[in-house]
Amino acid sequence: MVLTAKLELRQGQQLVMTPQLQQAIRLLQLSNIELCQFVETELERNPLLEMDETPDVSPKEHEAPVERDEPSGEEEWLDLRKPVAEADGGVDGDDGSYSDSAPTPGSMDADSGWANVRQSMSSHNGEEINPEAFVSSEPSLRDHLSEQLPLSIHGQAERLIGQHLIDMVDEAGYLHADLDQLAAKLGAPLDMVEKVLATLQTFDPAGVFARSLGECLALQLKEQNRYDPQIAALLDNLHLLAAHNMAALRKAVDADMAEITEMIDEIKRLNPKPGLKFGSVQLQPVVPDVLVRQAADGTWLIELNSDTLPRVLVNRSYYAEVNTTTRTEKDKGYLLECLQTANWLVKSLDQRARTILKVAEEIVRQQDAFFTYGVQHLRPLNLRTVADAISMHESTVSRVTSNKYMSSPRGIFELKYFFTSAIQSAGDGEAHSSEAVRHRIKQLIEAESARSVLSDDKLVEKLNKEGIDIARRTVAKYREAMRIPSSVQRRREKRLLERTAR
């Protein structure tokens, strides 16, 4: 075998993931909040990018971001120094009308009322006053407990232990701590920690610093002077109450059914999470990316929510101005890179918006019966069906439907909600959506009575009569996913409710 050097010519194809392509793919799967944060970062990094502050004159259609080459006489989007007094509007002395624009610092003279307000807010002992410091806020649970600490505990060591326990309380008011480990960590006797905890458990609201649900309810009953041995036995056997095992509960509490029912009603009036009324966490509401509404002719109109789409502009005039004064090749290369990055970001945002709109239109077309008649008519749908219909790859559709929401007359749904598995029909009909089958199982269970509670086998029979071919284990899986108890537990609960109603 002879080793020789030779030249060969080969032809092949290879997919190269450029940084720009990677950025476009990453933008697809970002939520609207993440996208706004990404654009804000790019605005700080790239001097050629600017936010488009002009109002959207066509909210019913998605309008792609527009690049502006040079500011014309009508477009004064770079002139930020023009005072409001020179613009159209302001205070009209003839008709007494006012413009909607707020006065700017340039339009406030020394004799105006705005100047007096500004002067009064300007300083206090030479320091700027922050108006936000005077805004009232809801006290947190930690602040509320800390205010009570010096009123009930006077020793320095006990206060230190008490403050440490306050810091360990969760927002619901429960204490998840091992007292032995805490005593060893603080170097304090265990009986001192337990004594401080007993004092803290008398704080308002009643039930805080509990280490279990039973202890939380017991603290509230002690506050109301309603804690007796019978109700204490009931709290020790809450697992029997949760399982609706009334026979074992009567034996454990040693009381008749009327007394147990009275104690259960009293427990229901208590607060299992007393700390939530103090400084509860404000959840961020879901902002839909796509809006769906019905037209007069019965068709569905799909539009992008323009409020969630950051619109950016490429300031080419600033690029031309700086480029003429740039001397070094390094600076020219930096400006050219900023221009290319800005152009690519604008195109990526536009392409992202168009892709989301295209996927949403196909989802609405596939699930038209759901929007018209309800969840029972939800069709089985997968990513391949949508991808083939709009000539895209499944991975692209998967990224588009991630963390995106659609607002419709039936509510706000994540785009992934409309992709459900198929359950075969018992006959020759079409397959059924798994979500529609779940909804039907829930309807059948809600319609049952105490004397005719449906077991999983009975549910299978009823569904087979309606043309749904489903196995018993699938019914049990769907029922447990919806947190619906078994037929035995439901029968006990319904009988208890009937006895209570009597």
Side-chain angles (χ1 to χ4, degrees):
M1 182 177 181
V2 182
L3 298 177
T4 58
K6 60 180 179 179
L7 295 176
E8 291 184 357
L9 182 63
R10 296 181 181 179
Q11 184 178 3
Q13 293 182 347
Q14 184 179 4
L15 178 62
V16 179
M17 294 286 289
T18 62
Q20 292 84 359
L21 182 58
Q22 293 177 8
Q23 182 191 79
I25 294 176
R26 187 170 67 253
L27 290 181
L28 279 177
Q29 59 189 10
L30 294 181
S31 63
N32 47 21
I33 298 178
E34 295 171 340
L35 180 65
C36 292
Q37 294 175 352
F38 175 79
V39 171
E40 289 178 359
T41 304
E42 291 297 320
L43 288 172
E44 296 176 357
R45 182 184 307 171
N46 196 330
L48 301 181
L49 282 175
E50 291 186 357
M51 288 293 295
D52 185 8
E53 302 293 344
T54 56
D56 190 3
V57 297
S58 178
K60 296 183 180 180
E61 298 178 1
H62 167 66
E63 185 177 2
V66 181
E67 298 180 6
R68 301 193 180 188
D69 297 333
E70 296 180 0
S72 61
E74 300 176 355
E75 300 171 348
E76 298 180 357
W77 59 292
L78 286 177
D79 190 3
L80 302 179
R81 297 170 296 177
K82 184 175 180 181
V84 176
E86 300 177 6
D88 295 336
V91 180
D92 193 339
D94 296 335
D95 56 2
S97 61
Y98 292 83
S99 70
D100 295 333
S101 301
T104 61
S107 64
M108 301 177 188
D109 52 30
D111 299 330
S112 64
W114 284 101
N116 297 331
V117 174
R118 183 177 57 187
Q119 184 177 2
S120 64
M121 298 285 293
S122 60
S123 63
H124 179 70
N125 295 332
E127 298 180 358
E128 189 74 17
I129 295 179
N130 183 14
E132 296 182 357
F134 299 94
V135 179
S136 62
S137 60
E138 183 182 3
S140 63
L141 177 63
R142 181 178 180 276
D143 297 336
H144 183 70
L145 296 175
S146 298
E147 291 176 355
Q148 304 175 63
L149 181 62
L151 302 176
S152 302
I153 299 178
H154 305 287
Q156 189 67 26
E158 288 81 359
R159 283 190 185 182
L160 178 63
I161 297 173
Q163 189 61 50
H164 195 83
L165 291 173
I166 289 175
D167 294 336
M168 299 179 68
V169 172
D170 62 10
E171 61 178 10
Y174 285 84
L175 178 65
H176 303 284
D178 189 344
L179 297 185
D180 293 329
Q181 295 180 0
L182 180 61
K185 179 180 179 181
L186 298 178
L190 180 60
D191 55 350
M192 179 183 292
V193 177
E194 293 176 345
K195 181 181 179 181
V196 172
L197 177 59
T199 304
L200 295 178
Q201 288 180 342
T202 61
F203 281 11
D204 179 76
V208 291
F209 293 98
R211 288 160 290 181
S212 63
L213 176 60
E215 187 177 14
C216 178
L217 301 177
L219 291 173
Q220 298 180 54
L221 291 171
K222 290 178 182 178
E223 179 72 16
Q224 301 174 8
N225 198 20
R226 282 291 296 118
Y227 190 75
D228 52 48
Q230 277 192 330
I231 205 165
L234 178 61
L235 295 178
D236 292 337
N237 295 275
L238 286 178
H239 61 283
L240 298 178
L241 179 60
H244 302 284
N245 191 351
M246 294 302 161
L249 188 61
R250 285 199 306 268
K251 183 178 180 181
V253 179
D254 192 17
D256 56 19
M257 195 63 200
E259 293 176 334
I260 290 180
T261 303
E262 182 181 353
M263 287 187 288
I264 291 175
D265 293 338
E266 192 169 0
I267 290 176
K268 288 181 178 179
R269 291 192 292 267
L270 302 177
N271 188 359
K273 297 180 179 180
L276 291 184
K277 62 180 181 180
F278 290 93
S280 58
V281 179
Q282 299 294 329
L283 298 179
Q284 180 70 26
V286 174
V287 180
D289 301 82
V290 182
L291 307 176
V292 178
R293 57 188 177 90
Q294 193 170 20
D297 57 354
T299 59
W300 296 99
L301 301 179
I302 302 97
E303 56 187 282
L304 291 175
N305 188 0
S306 58
D307 295 337
T308 64
L309 295 174
R311 299 190 300 169
V312 295
L313 301 174
V314 181
N315 193 344
R316 293 182 179 274
S317 60
Y318 181 70
Y319 168 77
E321 179 182 352
V322 177
N323 192 38
T324 55
T325 59
T326 304
R327 297 288 182 257
T328 63
E329 293 296 330
K330 181 179 180 181
D331 294 341
K332 287 183 179 292
Y334 171 74
L335 282 176
L336 182 59
E337 181 183 356
C338 289
L339 180 63
Q340 293 174 348
T341 303
N343 288 331
W344 186 264
L345 178 61
V346 171
K347 293 178 182 178
S348 298
L349 293 176
D350 181 35
Q351 184 63 34
R352 175 184 182 273
R354 295 178 185 274
T355 306
I356 293 176
L357 186 60
K358 185 180 293 186
V359 173
E361 289 175 346
E362 183 59 27
I363 290 176
V364 173
R365 192 185 71 83
Q366 294 281 350
Q367 302 290 0
D368 175 72
F370 164 77
F371 294 100
T372 305
Y373 302 107
V375 69
Q376 286 183 315
H377 298 270
L378 193 66
R379 293 180 53 192
L381 186 65
N382 52 33
L383 297 175
R384 178 180 291 275
T385 303
V386 176
D388 293 342
I390 60 178
S391 300
M392 288 185 179
H393 197 269
E394 291 182 49
S395 60
T396 304
V397 178
S398 177
R399 291 186 177 94
V400 169
T401 56
S402 177
N403 299 321
K404 309 295 186 307
Y405 293 86
M406 175 185 294
S407 176
S408 68
R410 298 199 174 275
I412 299 179
F413 301 93
E414 190 177 7
L415 294 184
K416 286 187 176 295
Y417 171 82
F418 300 99
F419 295 90
T420 60
S421 57
I423 295 180
Q424 297 299 323
S425 175
D428 297 331
E430 296 183 355
H432 302 272
S433 168
S434 59
E435 190 65 31
V437 174
R438 287 192 187 96
H439 182 73
R440 183 55 183 158
I441 292 174
K442 185 177 180 180
Q443 282 185 330
L444 292 174
I445 292 177
E446 289 177 349
E448 65 187 8
S449 61
R451 298 182 179 179
S452 60
V453 175
L454 300 175
S455 63
D456 293 342
D457 293 326
K458 290 292 185 181
L459 290 173
V460 170
E461 293 179 6
K462 286 185 173 291
L463 293 174
N464 286 334
K465 292 179 181 178
E466 296 178 4
I468 303 174
D469 187 10
I470 189 172
R472 181 188 177 280
R473 64 178 180 274
T474 307
V475 171
K477 181 180 71 173
Y478 288 171
R479 176 180 54 76
E480 292 173 358
M482 293 184 289
R483 297 188 177 182
I484 297 176
S486 64
S487 58
V488 177
Q489 293 178 336
R490 297 200 309 272
R491 184 179 293 108
R492 291 175 180 172
E493 183 178 359
K494 291 180 183 296
R495 288 179 178 175
L496 177 61
L497 292 176
E498 286 184 354
R499 294 174 181 174
T500 305
R502 294 174 185 175

